[in-house]
Amino acid sequence: MVREAPEEEIVQIWVSERFADKNQTLLRRFPDRIPVEILSDSVFAHVSDTKTPQGVLCVLRQKSYDLAQIIQTEKPLLLLLDGLQDPGNLGTILRTGEAAGVTGMILSKDCVDIYNPKVIRSTMGSVYRMPFIYVEDLAKTAIWIKGKGIHIYAAHLQGKNAYDKEGYQNGTAFLIGNEGNGLRKEVAEQADVKIQIPMQGQVESLNAAAAATILMYEAMRQRREELEW
Amino acid sequence: MVREAPEEEIVQIWVSERFADKNQTLLRRFPDRIPVEILSDSVFAHVSDTKTPQGVLCVLRQKSYDLAQIIQTEKPLLLLLDGLQDPGNLGTILRTGEAAGVTGMILSKDCVDIYNPKVIRSTMGSVYRMPFIYVEDLAKTAIWIKGKGIHIYAAHLQGKNAYDKEGYQNGTAFLIGNEGNGLRKEVAEQADVKIQIPMQGQVESLNAAAAATILMYEAMRQRREELEW
C-alpha cells in the first residue's frame, strides 16, 4: 500500500528496523521532503494495527472531491451506496469498480468509513484513485444527479427487468443497498428503473459486493462492445 | 442458519434461555427425534464462537458428494477452486454460485475448510445446497473432467480472449486461483482456454470472489438467453 501511495500525498513514513535494513532502495526512492522515521521492531509492532505488520506505515493526506468533479466525465458510470456497512464489501467494490471503469462513488453518510483500515487494505490501492464523496442525503443527491441527465438503476428484488436487458452506454448510476436491509425506500424511489439480478436455487439475495460486481461488469461489457474492445 | 438447515441432517439443537423464551413456535416445529437442549445465557455465550450469539446452535451431519454425482447434470457449470484461502471469498462464491446456477464446486485439498464458521455464515445457507468435493490433485481431476466433455476455462492475467467472447452454454468449468498467487502452473495448464477479464485503471488483479462472480454470471447470462429467460 505504501509503494502504491501517490507520492505527493505522503506526509510521513515509519519503518521497523528490520524493514529498513532490507529495503534501503525503496526508502531512497522517496523525496527528501518526506521524513522517514525508523522504529525498533517491538515499538513498530505496537504502533501497527495488524497482527503481523509488514514493517512500513505512512500518513497520507485524505482525498477530497466534490460532486461536480465526480460527474464531470463524459459518460459517468457511478455507484450510489446506501448504508453499506461491511468494510470488505466496500473495499472490493472500490477495487472492482476501478477495474470496471467506474468514474466515481457516492456514499450515504452512514456508510462504513472509506478510511477504515480494512477497507483501505481490501481496495489494493484503488482507494487512492477512485473519486468518492459522502453525502448528507443520498435521495436528494440522486435527484440532483438525474437532473444532470444520468440514469439511475436500482438493483431491487422487485425489479421488473433483468439487469442485462437495459443499456448502460450513457451516463449511468447504480444504487446498491445495505447488506441486511437493502435500499431505503426514499432512496429506491429515485431510481429511473428498478432492475433485478436473476437468481436460481433458494438464494434470497446476493452479497452487496457481488451484486455491484455483476452490474458494473455488465455496464463495462456493453461499453466495451461499443468500443469494439 | 438453523432455520434454513435441512431438517433431516440436524443431529441436535442448543438454545439459550432467552432464545427459548422468545421462540417457542420455531422450536416446536422441529420433529421429536431432534433433542433441543436449553442452556443458561452465560453458558451459551461460552459455547458459541461469536461475540454476540443469536442464541441458537445446531449440529448437522456433514455432506458428502462424489465426483460422478457432481458432474452428472446435463450441462454442468462447475467451479474449480485452486488454493482459495479467504473464508469470506469461499462463502460468497458458494452463495453467488447457487444464484448463478452453478451445479458443483471442486476444491483443491489446500482450500480453506468449507465448514469454517466464517464460510458457513457468509454462504447464507447455500452450503446446505451446493454440491462440493475436495480433491487430492486438482490438475488430475481437471483432466478427468475434460474427458467427460466439459470445457475448462481459466481466468488468467495472460488470457487471450475476453471472458465474454467465449460460449458457456455447454458443460463448463471455471478455474479460480489463490488470492495472492493465482493458479498453480500445473492446474492452469489443464485449461482448454485461458480467458481474461478486462480491467481498466491501475488494477492488477480482481478479488477471487469478484472474478468468480463475473464469470458465473456471464455463463448464466448466456444460458438465460438460450432459454429466453
Side-chain angles (χ1 to χ4, degrees):
Chain A
M1 290 298 296
V2 173
R3 207 188 295 263
E4 280 201 63
E7 206 179 88
E8 64 281 12
E9 308 291 353
I10 300 180
V11 177
Q12 179 161 5
I13 295 175
W14 288 268
V15 293
S16 68
E17 280 175 345
R18 177 199 282 263
F19 184 93
D21 286 349
K22 288 190 184 165
N23 296 277
Q24 294 293 340
T25 342
L26 172 70
L27 294 176
R28 252 180 266 119
R29 254 183 23 200
F30 293 104
D32 289 342
R33 68 147 193 88
I34 303 176
V36 178
E37 194 168 334
I38 300 175
L39 305 175
S40 74
D41 291 358
S42 65
V43 169
F44 192 94
H46 280 283
V47 172
S48 169
D49 69 330
T50 58
K51 273 189 202 162
T52 48
Q54 292 181 293
V56 55
L57 281 172
C58 74
V59 167
L60 291 176
R61 261 178 293 271
Q62 296 197 353
K63 293 275 194 169
S64 168
Y65 305 88
D66 62 41
L67 258 180
Q69 240 179 318
I70 284 177
I71 67 154
Q72 79 184 355
T73 47
E74 205 190 331
K75 290 171 180 175
L77 179 56
L78 305 173
L79 242 51
L80 310 192
L81 306 174
D82 187 25
L84 209 76
Q85 289 307 304
D86 184 84
N89 276 345
L90 180 55
T92 303
I93 288 174
L94 282 161
R95 179 179 175 188
T96 312
E98 185 188 1
V102 168
T103 54
M105 308 246 172
I106 299 172
L107 301 92
S108 67
K109 64 174 176 186
D110 58 343
C111 280
V112 55
D113 182 7
I114 209 165
Y115 291 114
N116 174 311
K118 281 188 196 163
V119 176
I120 293 188
R121 265 181 241 119
S122 56
T123 67
M124 299 291 279
S126 297
V127 69
Y128 301 139
R129 299 179 293 262
M130 175 65 69
F132 66 89
I133 189 169
Y134 283 81
V135 295
E136 197 62 31
D137 184 335
L138 190 60
K140 264 195 192 157
T141 306
I143 295 170
W144 184 84
I145 285 173
K146 283 196 285 186
K148 302 290 176 185
I150 296 169
H151 269 66
I152 299 186
Y153 300 87
H156 203 279
L157 294 176
Q158 273 86 51
K160 229 182 186 178
N161 304 314
Y163 72 102
D164 56 337
K165 304 302 178 208
E166 298 286 336
Y168 309 116
Q169 284 95 342
N170 295 314
T172 296
F174 292 117
L175 277 170
I176 302 288
N178 169 275
E179 288 84 355
N181 309 315
L183 289 167
R184 268 172 289 214
K185 195 166 163 285
E186 64 269 30
V187 174
E189 276 168 358
Q190 303 314 324
D192 294 291
V193 186
K194 283 184 184 157
I195 50 177
Q196 47 108 351
I197 301 176
M199 293 183 290
Q200 300 190 47
Q202 294 171 51
V203 179
E204 286 171 17
S205 69
L206 292 172
N207 164 285
T213 297
I214 293 165
L215 298 179
M216 296 187 292
Y217 259 84
E218 174 61 16
M220 187 188 183
R221 195 184 66 80
Q222 295 183 9
R223 290 169 174 222
R224 281 169 46 229
E225 256 177 22
E226 213 175 41
L227 300 169
E228 294 178 21
W229 175 23
Chain B
M1 290 297 296
V2 173
R3 208 187 294 262
E4 279 201 63
E7 207 179 87
E8 64 281 10
E9 308 290 353
I10 300 181
V11 177
Q12 182 162 3
I13 295 176
W14 288 267
V15 292
S16 68
E17 280 176 344
R18 176 197 283 261
F19 184 92
D21 286 350
K22 288 192 184 162
N23 296 278
Q24 295 292 339
T25 340
L26 172 69
L27 294 177
R28 254 181 264 119
R29 253 181 24 198
F30 293 105
D32 289 342
R33 67 149 194 87
I34 304 176
V36 178
E37 196 168 333
I38 300 175
L39 305 174
S40 74
D41 292 357
S42 65
V43 170
F44 193 94
H46 279 282
V47 172
S48 169
D49 69 331
T50 57
K51 272 190 204 161
T52 48
Q54 293 182 292
V56 54
L57 281 173
C58 74
V59 167
L60 292 176
R61 262 178 293 270
Q62 296 197 352
K63 293 274 195 172
S64 169
Y65 305 88
D66 62 40
L67 259 180
Q69 243 179 315
I70 284 177
I71 67 154
Q72 81 185 353
T73 49
E74 206 190 329
K75 289 170 180 177
L77 178 57
L78 305 173
L79 242 52
L80 310 192
L81 306 175
D82 187 25
L84 209 77
Q85 288 307 304
D86 184 83
N89 276 345
L90 180 55
T92 302
I93 288 174
L94 282 161
R95 179 178 175 189
T96 312
E98 185 188 1
V102 168
T103 54
M105 307 247 171
I106 300 172
L107 302 91
S108 67
K109 64 176 176 186
D110 58 344
C111 280
V112 54
D113 183 6
I114 208 164
Y115 290 114
N116 174 309
K118 281 188 197 163
V119 176
I120 292 189
R121 264 180 244 120
S122 55
T123 68
M124 299 290 279
S126 297
V127 68
Y128 301 140
R129 300 179 292 262
M130 176 65 70
F132 66 88
I133 190 169
Y134 282 81
V135 296
E136 197 63 30
D137 184 334
L138 190 60
K140 264 195 191 158
T141 306
I143 295 170
W144 183 84
I145 286 172
K146 284 196 285 185
K148 302 292 177 184
I150 296 168
H151 270 66
I152 299 186
Y153 301 86
H156 203 278
L157 295 176
Q158 274 86 50
K160 230 182 184 176
N161 303 314
Y163 72 103
D164 56 337
K165 304 302 178 209
E166 299 285 336
Y168 309 116
Q169 285 94 341
N170 296 314
T172 296
F174 292 118
L175 278 170
I176 302 288
N178 168 276
E179 288 85 355
N181 309 315
L183 290 167
R184 268 171 289 214
K185 194 165 164 284
E186 64 268 29
V187 173
E189 277 168 357
Q190 303 314 324
D192 294 292
V193 186
K194 282 183 186 158
I195 51 177
Q196 46 108 350
I197 300 176
M199 292 182 290
Q200 301 190 46
Q202 294 173 50
V203 179
E204 286 171 18
S205 69
L206 292 172
N207 165 283
T213 296
I214 293 165
L215 298 179
M216 296 187 291
Y217 260 84
E218 173 62 16
M220 187 186 182
R221 196 183 65 81
Q222 296 183 8
R223 289 170 173 221
R224 281 169 45 228
E225 257 177 21
E226 213 176 39
L227 299 169
E228 294 177 19
W229 176 22

